[in-house]
Amino acid sequence: MLTIHGVPLSVHTRKPIVTAILKKLDYTFEVVIPVIPDNPPANWNTLSPTGLIPVLQDGGYTLPDSTAICLYLEKKQPAPAILPDDAKHYGRVLWFDAYAGGTIYRHVVHPLFIQTIVRPNIRKESTDKALVDDVLNNVQPKILNYLESQISGKFLVGDTMTLADIAIVSNFIVYHYMGYRLDAAKYPKLIAYIKGIAATDAYGKALDDERPFVASMGLDRSFFG
Ligand SMILES: N[C@@H](CCC(=O)N[C@@H](CS)C(=O)NCC(=O)O)C(=O)O
């Protein structure tokens, strides 16, 4: 049995969850909230060398990092594939996965999450509004324009859901949960794309499963119906 350690809400934890659901792999879930001091289990440093979530356990085998876990699950249960056979498609999927974690999360979703959720709700500190404005006005437009230019159908690469869609959309789930919205006049394809991926069976099930946690955090899931 697979165990995924993390938070249902987390951008990176959602990647192995959607992948496991898509591949019909049974898993159990262990909640670990790294931003809350002393929350991690006693052996957390051994399970997660970075202290970050997610971490997978498969029997005695332990694997951190969302991308490593998704690629492991791809080998364990190849169908349906989240990585294409075609070399160029394969390369593009890995690129979008890297862009999701290294750029969208790191420079947009993570700073917004710290300022919008962690500081006011968990640490009881004030939000740095100038930092939020800088992300929204100066950092995100280049990223959103780029994504808008890359979307030509239901999926980012090829004609089935890949790790690219799983990783990119996971960022925008949290973005919308925090109450931020994309400008429909500027990003119509991106908005339709996010809604389309979120409505697929596997993504929809993952989002349904995280409803109680989202509600308990007082987050806004109105964008997803
Ligand atoms: N490269 C890692 C990044 C994981 C990551 O940044 N996880 C976030 C949650 S989405 C986390 O653990 N944040 C807690 C912290 O920064 O202390 C992966 O893909 O798993």
Side-chain angles (χ1 to χ4, degrees), residues 10-13 15 34-35 51-54 64-67 105-106 110:
S10 127
V11 165
H12 293 95
T13 306
K15 286 169 57 185
V35 291
L52 300 176
I53 52 173
D65 190 87
S66 62
T67 299
Y105 177 74
R106 194 55 54 200
H110 184 256

Side-chain angles (χ1 to χ4, degrees), residues 172-182 194 220 223-224:
F172 287 101
I173 304 286
V174 175
Y175 183 91
H176 286 85
Y177 280 171
M178 291 187 286
Y180 297 106
R181 293 293 181 266
L182 301 174
I194 294 165
D220 170 10
F223 179 82
F224 301 100

